[in-house]
């Protein structure tokens, strides 16, 4: 892990605070970055009650068993990635505690805990045009009857691998993207948003 | 383009998937490997059925859950007749016996 004073978010070079101070009346989307989240990859058998209980114990959050869903408890979220793979997502402050908690709760079990926090950043997108902007680069059906709050999907957005999580009906989305692709994806969204109007949320 | 019904994630666009060629090709056991002829090795390594009709093949959901699974696809119409998980038996589907 890098020293705290050296830490820079993957989108810091855009100067989000300066962009946020610009007037953007009637913007179709508001874009922001939620940097430095704790993202912990866990593997295990969802049918094993000892595993699900250990996850609940360590995080306070239930393990989502249904495909493409997210469970939330307080400031911890668990996102479904595959039939035996999940991300535990929390604030940066909880990172070490969550990892230690999961590792000790899993003692003796055939499981895996990997800290992948530094690999990704999160682009947040909210506003009435969010669905239209995403639709320009995604093959998923984002209509409310097919994809709603509490659902997530790993897919590709304008050729970039992302995890998309819808958080509310505004609609608001969180886009988990590899840090090295974040610059490209931000610029791409900006380009599409020229048709809808875009505001930036301060860091 | 196909829409492939990933057995874990549900229907997704073809570009999210990778193709893994013919399924159900058994690797020779250690015992067989000791006595196999070159022709038998060549058959195992290189020769495929090249079916015109129902073809059983492997796909991987590269951009989604990254899991492998099997697909029964008609190579003329590209119709996907069945999607089934790794380890499940080869379904009884042929060109004369298409599920409708």
């Amino acid at each position: 892990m890098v020293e705290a004073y050296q830490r820079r978010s993957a989108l810091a070079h855009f100067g989000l605070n300066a962009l946020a101070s610009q007037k953007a009346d009637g913007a179709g989307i508001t874009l922001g970055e939620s940097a430095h989240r704790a993202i912990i990859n866990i593997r295990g058998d969802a049918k094993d009650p000892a595993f699900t209980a250990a996850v609940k114990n360590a995080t306070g959050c239930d393990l989502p068993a249904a495909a493409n869903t997210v469970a939330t408890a307080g400031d911890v979220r668990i996102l479904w990635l595959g039939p035996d793979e999940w991300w535990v997502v929390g604030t940066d402050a909880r990172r070490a505690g969550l990892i230690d908690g999961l590792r000790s709760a899993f003692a003796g079990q055939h499981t895996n805990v990997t800290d992948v926090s530094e690999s990704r950043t999160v682009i947040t997108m909210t506003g009435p045009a969010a669905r239209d902007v995403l639709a320009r680069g995604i093959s998923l059906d984002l209509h409310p009857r097919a994809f709603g709050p509490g659902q997530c999907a790993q897919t590709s957005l304008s050729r970039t691998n992302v995890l998309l999580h819808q958080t509310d009906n505004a609609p608001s989305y969180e886009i988990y993207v590899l840090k090295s692709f974040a610059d490209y994806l931000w610029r791409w969204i900006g380009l599409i948003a020229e048709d809808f109007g875009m505001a930036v949320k301060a860091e | 383009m196909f829409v492939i019904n990933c057995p874990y994630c549900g229907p997704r666009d073809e570009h999210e998937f990778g193709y893994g060629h013919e399924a159900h090709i058994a690797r020779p056991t250690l015992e067989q490997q000791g006595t196999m002829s070159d022709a038998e090795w060549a058959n195992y390594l290189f020769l495929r059925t090249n079916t015109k009709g129902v073809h059983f093949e492997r796909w991987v959901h590269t951009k989604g859950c990254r899991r492998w699974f099997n697909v029964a696809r008609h190579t003329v119409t590209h119709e996907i007749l069945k999607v089934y998980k790794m380890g499940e038996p080869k379904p009884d589907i042929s060109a004369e016996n298409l599920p409708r």
Side-chain angles (χ1 to χ4, degrees):
Chain A
M1 185 180 158
V2 295
E3 298 296 331
Y5 72 91
Q6 289 179 319
R7 247 180 152 190
R8 253 170 88 85
S9 87
L11 297 169
H13 59 288
F14 284 117
L16 302 191
N17 285 340
L19 289 172
S21 65
Q22 292 174 3
K23 239 178 139 63
D25 292 331
I29 60 164
T30 301
L31 216 56
E33 184 190 19
S34 174
H36 308 309
R37 283 195 190 176
I39 307 174
I40 303 151
N41 186 296
I42 58 170
R43 306 283 305 261
D45 180 1
K47 292 190 191 77
D48 179 359
F51 173 69
T52 51
V55 173
K56 173 88 179 171
N57 255 336
T59 64
C61 188
D62 287 312
L63 194 72
N68 304 317
T69 60
V70 181
T72 306
D75 59 356
V76 175
R77 277 182 188 148
I78 304 184
L79 295 87
W80 184 96
L81 303 185
D84 59 2
E85 189 173 12
W86 296 263
W87 271 351
V88 177
V89 174
T91 57
D92 190 37
R94 296 211 48 187
R95 172 157 138 179
L98 282 170
I99 294 168
D100 293 345
L102 284 163
R103 289 213 169 116
S104 47
F106 289 163
Q109 294 187 35
H110 183 63
T111 54
N112 190 27
V113 178
T114 313
D115 181 9
V116 295
S117 312
E118 296 292 348
S119 69
R120 281 161 177 88
T121 192
V122 178
I123 297 175
T124 60
M125 187 194 288
T126 183
R131 218 171 253 129
D132 299 314
V133 170
L134 289 173
R136 299 272 185 101
I138 215 163
S139 62
L140 279 184
D141 184 1
L142 295 177
H143 190 278
R145 76 177 161 239
F147 198 84
Q151 279 186 274
C152 67
Q154 294 174 94
T155 183
S156 97
L157 175 58
S158 183
R159 303 186 298 282
T160 306
N161 287 15
V162 297
L163 186 147
L164 185 73
H165 170 204
Q166 186 173 343
T167 52
D168 66 34
N169 271 324
S172 302
Y173 297 93
E174 294 187 345
I175 304 162
Y176 293 75
V177 59
L178 285 166
K179 281 183 175 175
S180 52
F181 286 84
D183 174 278
Y184 160 75
L185 197 60
W186 181 280
R187 287 174 199 270
W188 179 83
I189 295 169
L191 198 66
I192 301 303
E194 283 178 8
D195 292 350
F196 302 95
M198 175 174 132
V200 173
K201 184 170 166 264
E203 285 172 65
Chain B
M1 294 290 275
F2 307 151
V3 170
I4 298 175
N5 194 10
C6 169
Y8 304 103
C9 301
R12 296 289 183 91
D13 198 87
E14 178 190 347
H15 82 272
E16 292 193 10
F17 296 86
Y19 183 61
H21 302 276
E22 191 170 347
H24 304 293
I25 295 173
R27 187 181 169 84
T29 62
L30 269 180
E31 213 167 64
Q32 290 168 329
Q33 286 174 30
T35 59
M36 274 168 71
S37 67
D38 286 354
E40 284 168 324
W41 271 115
N43 183 47
Y44 163 65
L45 289 170
F46 305 116
L47 297 183
R48 298 294 176 256
T49 54
N50 197 21
T51 312
K52 182 180 181 183
V54 182
H55 188 239
F56 301 90
E57 56 199 19
R58 301 175 300 179
W59 287 79
V60 57
H61 194 186
T62 318
K63 297 203 169 179
C65 60
R66 297 182 298 282
R67 295 309 182 280
W68 286 89
F69 55 91
N70 292 321
V71 168
R73 178 177 62 94
H74 198 295
T75 54
V76 178
T77 62
H78 292 310
E79 186 183 355
I80 290 176
L81 302 161
K82 192 174 170 73
V83 174
Y84 54 106
K85 291 179 184 174
M86 282 290 164
E88 288 180 16
K90 191 173 176 173
D92 180 24
I93 304 172
S94 67
E96 294 73 43
N97 163 30
L98 293 178
R100 285 281 173 263

